[in-house]
Amino acid sequence: DVKVTQSSRYLVKRTGEKVFLECVQDMDHENMFWYRQDPGLGLRLIYFSYDVKMKEKGDIPEGYSVSREKKERFSLILESASTNQTSMYLCASRTQRLAGVSETQYFGPGTRLLVL
Amino acid sequence: SQQGEEDPQALSIQEGENATMNCSYKTSINNLQWYRQNSGRGLVHLILIRSNEREKHSGRLRVTLDTSKKSSSLLITASRAADTASYFCATDNTDKLIFGTGTRLQVFP
């Protein structure tokens, strides 16, 4: 079974702090994703990565950056946390069989971040 | 931008009844996927239907896809209290999945 883990289930940070959210998958998947989920807005893609050291902006990248130094790990960084970044953050991974075709994504349990 | 849109937003039924959720989307797709999310947890993949398929079954789940109407439906038969969750459709036309806002299903024992 694919396992996607996230470093924290709950996190409380202060405005202006630098925040690291870590995601690790154990299935040698090429692609990894970071989403945020807010009530009434569904899941919105922040950043994704096709492979090691590659990254692409999603729909809402402002205020975030990412790092993919190893294939199994994809980190989301909030350079200077703000209250409007309070949200549920979900990481996902998938294999890449065919270019341009999305396969099943496997999600981590989520990190609920509160920025005070 | 959100492509998939689920309907209804919320659904309450009794155990044993069937639950039907609908998803509409806007552009051409390679496949459409349904996911389930228990409260405060990550999403779990339920079923994937490709653009050249019209119907797919998995246990108590039945998914249909009508590409001419750009719509899909998820039917859960003989529902159980444990089916209580949010259900999301996700569509792709490139390398990214675009999720809808979900249907919240409540199944009462």
Side-chain angles (χ1 to χ4, degrees), chain A:
Chain A
D1 276 354
V2 176
K3 193 166 184 184
V4 181
T5 57
Q6 294 183 228
S7 50
S8 306
R9 289 298 315 281
Y10 300 95
L11 210 50
V12 180
K13 295 291 180 182
R14 298 241 172 240
T15 301
E17 278 193 76
K18 191 168 186 176
V19 182
F20 292 87
L21 301 182
E22 302 281 338
C23 175
V24 178
Q25 50 94 4
D26 66 357
M27 283 300 291
D28 202 36
H29 284 169
E30 292 84 5
N31 303 162
M32 296 187 75
F33 304 82
W34 274 107
Y35 297 89
R36 66 177 281 177
Q37 184 179 23
D38 301 287
L41 296 177
L43 273 77
R44 293 180 291 168
L45 182 63
I46 305 171
Y47 266 98
F48 63 105
S49 170
Y50 286 116
D51 213 328
V52 179
K53 298 200 186 290
M54 298 175 73
K55 59 184 178 184
E56 297 285 338
K57 291 181 180 179
D59 297 319
I60 52 163
E62 297 78 20
Y64 303 94
S65 62
V66 290
S67 172
R68 184 114 181 255
E69 294 298 315
K70 293 185 178 181
K71 193 172 188 179
E72 68 271 19
R73 188 180 298 269
F74 191 35
S75 303
L76 180 69
I77 304 152
L78 286 66
E79 295 290 342
S80 178
S82 63
T83 55
N84 63 12
Q85 292 178 309
T86 290
S87 188
M88 172 75 138
Y89 289 88
L90 292 163
C91 174
S93 74
R94 71 163 188 222
T95 192
Q96 180 70 57
R97 293 199 184 92
L98 293 172
V101 177
S102 292
E103 300 292 338
T104 299
Q105 288 190 9
Y106 297 87
F107 282 82
T111 295
R112 195 169 290 279
L113 173 66
L114 173 62
V115 183
L116 300 173

